[in-house]
Amino acid sequence: MRKTSIASLLSLAALFAGNAWAQQPNLKPGLWQVDVAMPGQARGQMAGMMAQMRAQMASMPPEQRKALEKSLADLDASGTEFTDNGVRMRQCITKDDIARYDLLGKKTPDSCTRKSSPTAGGAKLSMTCTRPQMAVEGNVKFQGDKAYTFESVATVAGPDGKPVAQKSSGSGQWLGSDCGKIKPGAHNG
């Protein structure tokens, strides 16, 4: 369940991080911070799971430890961190990124189908994917060109194969025009 939760959370965060600015051509390019919070059982677990994984690294065989250290370093380099409430991502959005995406989000990853429609101040989104297998329903609302909020429900297959629904909410905030160490495209997959 833990691997499924982390993978689902990252997929969901990437979906809304990417879709939020894809829906709005007037967002400012630069460094954005996206916070995703998960209520209920998942709340408070993400940072604890990462701490537990780091503690277990000491007893891992060298090859496995090295691979995990690389994965953690890649997460850090991409601006991703786990918080007590979920995940925080920082992403560098360029003018080209904003221009490349269509207003209603008709472009999708190969394994997904997406529907979206404009709403007052935002958009309603629906996406179904086969890899990872999941379905997402959500809404995004913009607060000018420097912020947005979203709410969603993602349904994924649990460890026993039965569907598990996970609610989440979050926000995106423009931090500035300088992306610092975060490279463009780190979460734009």
Side-chain angles (χ1 to χ4, degrees), residues 2-178:
R2 288 181 181 181
K3 287 183 182 178
T4 301
S5 295
I6 291 172
S8 298
L9 180 61
L10 288 176
S11 296
L12 184 63
L15 166 72
F16 274 97
N19 278 320
W21 55 268
Q23 297 298 316
Q24 170 61 300
N26 296 327
L27 291 182
K28 293 180 89 51
L31 184 61
W32 281 79
Q33 178 172 296
V34 180
D35 289 297
V36 181
M38 299 174 64
Q41 226 177 357
R43 189 177 193 101
Q45 290 182 355
M46 301 309 284
M49 289 187 320
M50 290 303 292
Q52 183 181 20
M53 185 171 35
R54 289 176 198 267
Q56 291 173 347
M57 285 173 52
S59 62
M60 291 180 178
E63 268 184 35
Q64 188 179 8
R65 183 174 54 245
K66 185 176 180 180
L68 184 55
E69 286 171 345
K70 182 184 180 324
S71 294
L72 293 173
D74 289 347
L75 280 174
D76 184 53
S78 71
T80 301
E81 67 180 283
F82 293 93
T83 67
D84 287 338
N85 296 330
V87 67
R88 171 173 288 153
M89 297 187 317
R90 288 181 185 85
Q91 61 184 150
C92 184
I93 306 299
T94 66
K95 288 180 184 178
D96 289 340
D97 291 330
I98 294 168
R100 185 174 50 235
Y101 291 97
D102 56 300
L103 179 63
L104 291 177
K106 304 262 187 255
K107 297 175 185 175
T108 63
D110 291 339
S111 64
C112 301
T113 56
R114 178 174 54 197
K115 295 178 185 174
S116 61
S117 57
T119 61
K124 181 177 180 174
L125 305 166
S126 173
M127 189 162 96
T128 304
C129 300
T130 56
R131 286 181 313 199
Q133 189 171 7
M134 63 187 267
V136 179
E137 298 286 332
N139 292 293
V140 61
K141 296 280 185 193
F142 300 101
Q143 289 90 47
D145 62 356
K146 294 182 180 178
Y148 63 87
T149 59
F150 65 86
E151 294 180 340
S152 68
V153 176
T155 304
V156 299
D160 58 1
K162 293 180 182 175
V164 176
Q166 178 62 59
K167 291 182 179 182
S168 67
S169 61
S171 62
Q173 180 177 349
W174 185 75
L175 299 178
S177 58
D178 182 5

